[in-house]
Amino acid sequence: MLSDPYMPHTPGFAQSLVTAALDDALAIGKSTAVLAISGLQGSGKSTFARQVVAAAQARGLRAASLSLDDVYLTRAQRQRLADRIHPLLATRGPPGTHDLPLALATLAAIRAGRPVHLPRFDKLADERLPAARWTAIEERLDLLVFEGWFVGTPAEAEAALVQPLNELERDADAAGIWRRWCNQALARDYPALWQCYDRLWFLQPPDFSVIPRWRWQQEQAMQAAEPQRSSMSRSQLERFVQFYERVSRQALRTLPAIADRTIALDAQRQPRDARGQNTRR
């Protein structure tokens, strides 16, 4: 599997946890198992996905990963949504800013064992990479790891959308058009995608307050890896995270009861066992 050049490589999770996730996926017994890893921004889900793929490959299995981030709509597509529905839709992130036909077609091809190219997205450029740079899958995979920041999350009740949640919603979405449209997309369009995986693991942060710091660390790491390219400032990132806050809080409320396994993290991204002790190396 080709690694994502725009995602920093961070210290990984304990091999025992990686092995448990791999064994859990393979125990399903399907010709191509799909393991989903859900986790809010900066939680380590991409690192965890890479480790599970590497562990599978070490066993002689064919494995690859795909991120929900890899199927964001292009900048031009998001701009058309912004012009037609609401200006906030120009910014990637919330439900409704993904190319779901592309995601579903890709996962269907993986399931069927057909040759396929896995899409890739360049976060610093805020644009999908050209198809020529996508990851080619020529043979049937034994395992696909599908990771994303709100994978498996259900929509909110309409009543929860009435009051703005943060400064972004208050100032830029006072009428609630954007948040309602995103929530409707989550309710209408994403359940079909959630049906495409076999097992769901959730990396659970202690609360949403750690997410801006985690995401800033991620942004700094991406910039360090590509110093010749521009990235977001701290103030830009603080606003950017507000685009994700509503669905992130919904994920925190709902996914522990939905996921097949929830890994509780502390503020340093250290997994804890049932006694609250660190279990990551």
Side-chain angles (χ1 to χ4, degrees):
M1 183 200 74
L2 298 179
S3 62
D4 182 350
Y6 305 108
M7 180 57 63
H9 289 257
T10 56
F13 292 86
Q15 192 59 39
S16 59
L17 190 63
V18 175
T19 300
L22 176 57
D23 289 344
D24 189 34
L26 297 178
I28 297 162
K30 291 190 176 180
S31 55
T32 300
V34 179
L35 170 67
I37 299 173
S38 192
L40 305 189
Q41 291 181 295
S43 60
K45 60 188 176 298
S46 297
T47 296
F48 193 31
R50 278 196 300 272
Q51 288 184 272
V52 174
V53 167
Q57 292 172 340
R59 295 188 191 182
L61 302 174
R62 293 182 296 272
S65 67
L66 176 68
S67 175
L68 184 62
D69 292 353
D70 286 323
V71 295
Y72 279 129
L73 294 169
T74 66
R75 202 181 326 182
Q77 289 171 323
R78 284 179 275 128
Q79 187 57 55
R80 286 195 289 272
L81 283 178
D83 294 340
R84 182 167 56 90
I85 298 167
H86 193 283
L88 290 181
L89 288 169
T91 300
R92 72 176 192 265
T97 62
H98 299 88
D99 188 335
L100 291 183
L102 174 62
L104 291 167
T106 301
L107 286 164
I110 291 290
R111 283 288 203 194
R114 298 193 302 269
V116 66
H117 285 75
L118 302 182
R120 298 302 185 203
F121 192 89
D122 181 343
K123 291 182 177 179
L124 288 180
D126 190 27
E127 188 61 277
R128 192 186 299 163
L129 289 175
R133 297 181 61 187
W134 295 3
T135 302
I137 303 297
E138 304 292 347
E139 300 179 285
R140 176 182 285 277
L141 293 177
D142 298 298
L143 173 69
L144 178 73
V145 181
F146 177 56
E147 55 93 354
W149 73 272
F150 69 95
V151 168
T153 304
E156 290 185 274
E158 277 291 314
L161 307 173
V162 175
Q163 296 298 322
L165 186 65
N166 54 33
E167 182 180 340
L168 175 77
E169 291 189 359
R170 186 187 68 235
D171 296 344
D173 187 40
I177 295 171
W178 170 73
R179 58 185 180 267
R180 285 188 172 87
W181 190 89
C182 293
N183 193 63
Q184 289 166 2
L186 182 56
R188 179 187 64 240
D189 302 330
Y190 287 77
L193 190 58
W194 303 163
Q195 293 297 314
C196 292
Y197 52 75
D198 302 304
R199 301 288 286 174
L200 174 63
W201 283 46
F202 176 45
L203 301 180
Q204 180 188 31
D207 51 56
F208 184 78
S209 66
V210 302
I211 301 304
R213 175 169 59 84
W214 285 2
R215 184 58 182 83
W216 175 240
Q217 291 169 348
Q218 188 182 67
E219 189 73 13
Q220 289 179 302
M222 286 192 290
Q223 175 63 26
E226 298 277 338
Q228 74 279 13
R229 308 175 72 200
S230 61
S231 62
M232 286 185 279
S233 66
R234 186 62 185 264
S235 61
Q236 288 172 325
L237 185 133
E238 293 284 350
R239 185 177 188 273
F240 182 63
V241 170
Q242 291 184 36
F243 282 82
Y244 293 72
E245 183 173 358
R246 177 172 291 277
V247 179
S248 293
R249 291 186 181 278
Q250 174 70 347
L252 287 171
R253 285 190 295 268
T254 60
L255 285 185
I258 293 172
D260 296 294
R261 182 162 178 185
T262 295
I263 306 300
L265 307 177
D266 66 17
Q268 285 71 48
R269 301 184 188 82
Q270 298 289 323
R272 296 178 178 276
D273 65 12
R275 300 183 300 279
Q277 296 174 341
N278 291 333
T279 56
R280 181 158 130 192
R281 281 192 307 222

